[in-house]
Amino acid sequence: GTAWADVLFGDHAPTGRLPLMLPATEADSIPPGLGGSVPYSEGLETSYRSKKFKAAFPFGHGLTYTTFEHSPLVKETCDDVQDCQLRIRTSVKNAGSVAAPTVLQLYLEFPAVAGLPAPFLKAFKKTSSIPPGSTEQVVFDLSSRDISYYDVGVGDLITATGTFHAHVGESSADIRNSLRFCVGGCDTQPTGLFRIVGTVIALAAVGVGSWLVCCRKSAGGAGTDDARPLVSRGLQHDAVDSSKWLAATNCQHTAIRADIAAPVCSGLYPLRCRGWWVVRLCTGLLGIMAAVIALSAAGIGAWLVVKKSTGGAGSD
């Protein structure tokens, strides 16, 4: 009837949303089971909750005749509403030229302890028909059930505690804004930060270890009088060998006097000459690694100060 005509001719903007994901290929879906026993090995990784599947049209997808701009998310308390644990507020603006409603969808990403594979749809709100250039406030009230997960061992719903991420958008694949917040205290370890710092420290340790091995190998074949560690030979050389040692180490300063340094460096102390350069190189690298570790420690300290001052909550 007239409803189809209103949509086709633009008198009414469509507001329908897909209640399922349409897979891109047959491989992006769960095959049907055969026989009388069907194992549900995929668990909760179905539809939009599986990161392995690609969608031709994602869960929550819909079309309209205009475009919308979303403002950042804000977490609020909701003492005035029964069984409301927290409130997420945002606003949406019609940035197009046609009045139309939209459907905002909130996907909640649980802490790792919940074991959920992806953010889950926990709320959605359909706005009124927003005129071009106008803005409408949208509020999501989340109950204790919304922030709970089912624990198989306990056999009941458990209220999750830790770091959550709320994602709001036009579909499961069209997320416009995200907000990080905590319930019952934040996770004790900022995974991403410590992973980066750990990688830096590990690389520093590998670099120092490699150069120390290189130093010992450079000192390895110098003869019986070079049995002492390389640094010890460089700093505590025998008084008897002092003149030869100084002559040998001068090879680093004799680019102009190559004719004088060549016989010395190719004589009895070639490995000491090369070893002194390795000592200097090792010392410089150790200084760089120490600076990197110090900067990493300063970054962790600054993060902890900010975390303590803000109570662990903030927006991405």
Side-chain angles (χ1 to χ4, degrees), residues 38-275:
V38 180
Y40 286 85
S41 58
E42 68 276 3
L44 294 174
E45 294 186 65
T46 61
S47 184
Y48 71 94
R49 295 183 291 266
S50 175
K51 297 180 180 179
K52 302 175 183 177
F53 294 161
K54 294 182 180 179
F57 297 97
F59 179 88
H61 171 73
L63 299 176
T64 187
Y65 293 137
T66 187
T67 56
F68 295 96
E69 295 177 353
H70 296 238
S71 64
L73 308 180
V74 179
K75 175 180 174 289
E76 301 176 348
T77 58
C78 48
D79 300 331
D80 56 330
V81 180
Q82 186 177 4
D83 194 30
C84 176
Q85 294 296 315
L86 59 99
R87 175 176 294 165
I88 304 295
R89 182 184 296 273
T90 185
S91 60
V92 58
K93 177 183 178 181
N94 187 343
S97 58
V98 177
T102 187
V103 180
L104 274 69
Q105 304 161 36
L106 186 147
Y107 296 85
L108 194 60
E109 182 179 346
F110 279 70
V113 67
L116 301 182
F120 277 45
L121 177 70
K122 287 297 180 179
F124 59 90
K125 286 289 182 70
K126 179 182 177 180
T127 68
S128 61
S129 182
I130 305 175
S134 298
T135 301
E136 182 172 320
Q137 295 285 325
V138 179
V139 174
F140 298 99
D141 289 339
L142 299 179
S143 65
S144 57
R145 185 182 180 89
D146 292 329
I147 59 174
S148 299
Y149 65 96
Y150 186 80
D151 190 309
V152 178
V154 177
D156 200 357
L157 290 173
I158 302 295
T159 300
T161 58
T163 303
F164 288 77
H165 291 84
H167 309 283
V168 174
E170 300 282 344
S171 75
S172 61
D174 184 13
I175 300 300
R176 303 296 181 89
N177 282 300
S178 298
L179 173 70
R180 174 183 176 272
F181 64 92
C182 301
V183 174
C186 289
D187 294 340
T188 55
Q189 293 185 351
T191 308
L193 177 62
F194 274 98
R195 187 175 299 159
I196 294 172
V197 173
T199 302
V200 170
I201 295 176
L203 290 174
V206 170
V208 173
S210 300
W211 281 112
L212 288 177
V213 170
C214 178
C215 289
R216 289 192 64 86
K217 286 185 177 180
S218 297
T224 56
D225 63 331
D226 290 336
R228 290 170 296 164
L230 183 62
V231 176
S232 176
R233 287 190 284 109
L235 300 179
Q236 301 175 359
H237 52 273
D238 295 336
V240 177
D241 293 337
S242 59
S243 59
K244 295 182 180 179
W245 176 256
L246 291 175
T249 55
N250 277 337
C251 67
Q252 59 183 307
H253 303 297
T254 52
I256 299 176
R257 303 174 58 193
D259 55 330
I260 300 176
V264 178
C265 291
S266 60
L268 296 176
Y269 295 87
L271 292 177
R272 283 180 173 176
C273 211
R274 185 174 63 218

Side-chain angles (χ1 to χ4, degrees), residues 5-13 65 98:
D6 290 342
V7 172
L8 289 174
F9 288 98
D11 297 330
H12 176 78
Y65 293 137
V98 177

